[in-house]
Amino acid sequence: MRRKPVLSHSPLLFPTIPAIVVSVLLPAFFSEARAQAVTSSSFEEELARNKKKNAEVRKDEKKPEAKPETKPVDDKDAPVIVKSYKFWGRSDRFIHFEHDVDVNKGALNLRSDKASYRFLEDEVEASGNVRVEKNGDCYYGDNATLQLDSGAGRIDNPVYKLLRSNAQGHARRIDLLDDERSLIHEGTYSTCEGLNPDWYLKANTLSLDTGLDTGVAGKSVLYFKNIPILATPSMTFPLSGARHSGFLPPTVGTTSKGGVEFALPYYWNIAPNRDLTLYPKMVSRRGIQLGAEARYMGETFPGGIYKGETTVEDLPSDRITHTNRYAVTSVHEQDLMPGLRLAWNINVASDDDYPADFSTSIAKTAQRLLSRETSLIYYGSFWNLGLRATNYQVLQDTTAAVPIGRPYDRLPQLQFHAEKYDVMGLDFMMDSSLTRFWHPSLVRGDRFANTFQVSAPLISSGYFVTPKVSLHATNYHLVNPNPGQEQDSHRIVPTFSVDSGLVFERQTNLLGRDFTQTLEPRLFYVNTPYRDQSKLPNFDSGLADFNFAQIFSENRFVGQDRIGDSNQITAALVSRYLEQDGSERLKLAMGQRFYFNTQKVRLDNTVSPSRSDLLLAASGKWSEQLSGDLGFQISAGTRQSVQSNYGIRWQPEAKKVLNVSYRFQRDSLEQVDISGQWPVAQRWYAVGRGNYSLMDKRVVDGLAGFEYKADCWSLRFVAQRFAVNSTTSNTGFSIQLELSGLARLGVGGNPLEALKRNIYGYQPNSDR
């Protein structure tokens, strides 16, 4: 319901005008049907002064600027306040304002040289140097028509600036449909500052919807440096960088395996917690590949979640192999009820060469063992019970000298684990598993394995002693035993161990800095009697990697089929340099295992030495910018290095990082890995990584490129080469133009993902 009029002068002339407040500089008088303002010398002087002042202001306002904070949301009942130097009108019909008109209602402000307000339509029509501010967005134009209640209207020949997306442009006309929607006719859109933006989108129509956070351009051409680079009948883009449905920018690339590739992805934002990406791709040498990626997450009950991701790729009738090529990857986790979780991880490929032919990184080509696992686990207060099934697909490398062995399938496996701490000063632990092992060519059977442990830890601030007794009990039932093997067999092996250590501290100074230095000697004794296990099957056991974690374990094997006999002690010494706040700046460690018996349980015919190799390690973070680590394994017999690694990282500031590492394994591997991101000129960054095999004299994985960062766009060029098998490499390049607030246009895939994956510490130059 409209309120009664409130006029600052001659209120009797307009008894039925809607709620409007008019403020003038001088008194005026009106005739019966027409009100004409009286001018005077003082009025002319004041008008001249203000015109001069406004002319100077408008001279500086060559483009509209958004206010730092959005005005309050429009209030339909807010009064209309109009300020001007001159006005006249007719009762119940209109009021005409002239000279620096300023109209305000809630979050809407209009300024112009002239304006007319029509009562019946509740509409303002303005002309001459029109400026409209609405919810923080600014528009300049020649003429404007606005509904004050709804905020709908039109602006002719506008230049605009949008607060939320920091976008600007110009148009022939803008239709303001409501508080959230606007339609731009024959206009431009850009997030660049200035009158001549580096990039802009020119379209017949631009529909902007801040409620849906979506912009839709019809019959549009994208210009970069005034050169058209992309034309499309329709383009959808987010106004704030959020996800939205629509076609993504096409990608064009080339690889040595597939030739030229062209993809036009479509993204469907199904819901805030679900989306689907379809990416049909044309591969010049192979045909059309269809792909889809679905992601989802949600809540099954208060505190329970479900989440997953599934990717499917299919290439019917490959032109090179003349076969159907496909791959499927699916990961899922779901809480069915409190404590009960369902999960699966499924990976499938059509053939051995699929990763080598279609992957874009060495990480994927190295995946020759595809696991398929489904599990159902219930978590109790101190125990859990799980049922799982595991199967493997082996993708053989036809160029390798030795084929990849196929692991056993577990169809199924039932596992139980329980542990209780500090029960009358004792810690208890139990692991049980019942597994059916299947293999197409090896011995198959069932295994029931149990491990029981009891320990009595004695822990103080300066020392600890933990004696522990373990019992391993295993039963086998074989379906097709080898000659000399029994169909049913069992094994019981006890183990006794004592883990002990001391902690000494002192205050010290290193390179002019105060530290707390610790000295931590540690002794770990293990005694496990010998049990003949040569006739037992080996479903999943192997020799564990030798490292600092392994030398403090009771069993030198992984898996349940081999329990190593031992009468040994491990000695280690660790020293740390700690800051006053407890952060560790430097750690030095050394350790070695000494054997008091000849080890009889073996997987091959190797002879056990009297002591293990010597382990040396150091790691440090001298500052927030510089860190490094190194490790050695020195042979006890030859005094030569069995394996070693060195690494250093320097990151003096954001977007400046260098990584250098060296890895060595005698007779099998020697590689140097260098990667980094570094500014080389103003706005220019060099990026790269080289993983070079000194033994094979080839680049295992290499990447090099440049990045350029402007105010509203970034450019990346990356060339990549990676090994797909022992003799062949794949080479490709990618170019990406990232237009802030619009899209990423790419040739040859996504270089941003390649840089994040290959360069530790890399930061996109588009990040603020």
Side-chain angles (χ1 to χ4, degrees), residues 324-375:
N324 294 332
R325 314 288 297 279
Y326 61 86
V328 178
T329 299
S330 181
V331 179
H332 176 83
E333 292 182 11
Q334 182 173 350
D335 293 326
L336 301 179
M337 57 180 290
L340 184 62
R341 170 165 292 192
L342 171 69
W344 69 67
N345 184 357
I346 299 174
N347 300 273
V348 181
S350 59
D351 54 84
D352 293 341
D353 295 327
Y354 190 92
D357 291 342
F358 296 99
S359 64
T360 57
S361 70
I362 192 172
K364 292 186 177 180
T365 59
Q367 292 179 356
R368 291 287 175 176
L369 199 61
L370 304 183
S371 65
R372 308 158 186 175
E373 180 176 309
T374 302
S375 63

Side-chain angles (χ1 to χ4, degrees), residues 360-366 657-663 669 671-678 686-693 698-706 717-723 751 753-762:
T360 57
S361 70
I362 192 172
K364 292 186 177 180
T365 59
V657 61
L658 288 176
N659 306 296
V660 180
S661 65
Y662 170 82
R663 293 184 298 165
L669 182 145
Q671 294 179 351
V672 176
D673 197 326
I674 302 175
S675 64
Q677 174 190 23
W678 205 263
V687 292
R689 181 197 175 192
N691 185 6
Y692 184 77
S693 173
R698 63 182 294 215
V699 176
V700 179
D701 193 6
L703 176 148
F706 290 92
F717 174 83
V718 174
Q720 189 174 9
R721 179 180 178 86
F722 55 91
E753 292 301 320
L755 293 172
K756 290 180 180 179
R757 184 173 57 245
N758 284 275
I759 303 175
Y760 181 71
Y762 168 81

Side-chain angles (χ1 to χ4, degrees), residues 39-69:
T39 62
S40 66
S41 60
S42 61
F43 175 84
E44 296 295 343
E45 292 172 0
E46 182 71 11
L47 182 60
R49 285 195 301 268
N50 281 276
K51 280 189 173 182
K52 182 179 179 180
K53 180 180 178 181
N54 290 333
E56 292 174 353
V57 172
R58 286 173 178 167
K59 183 178 180 181
D60 295 333
E61 294 177 337
K62 294 189 176 180
K63 68 177 189 297
E65 296 182 358
K67 291 188 176 182
E69 294 184 1

Side-chain angles (χ1 to χ4, degrees), residues 443 476 478 482-486 489-491 530-538 557 561-563 565 600-605:
V443 175
Y476 294 92
L478 305 182
N482 288 325
Q485 282 185 324
E486 298 180 1
S489 57
H490 68 278
R491 176 199 61 197
Y530 168 73
R531 297 289 187 271
D532 185 8
Q533 302 166 54
S534 60
K535 295 183 179 181
L536 298 179
N538 184 7
F557 299 102
D561 293 314
R562 294 295 182 268
I563 305 297
D565 57 320
K600 299 179 181 179
V601 179
R602 297 190 291 267
L603 295 176
D604 50 32
N605 295 322

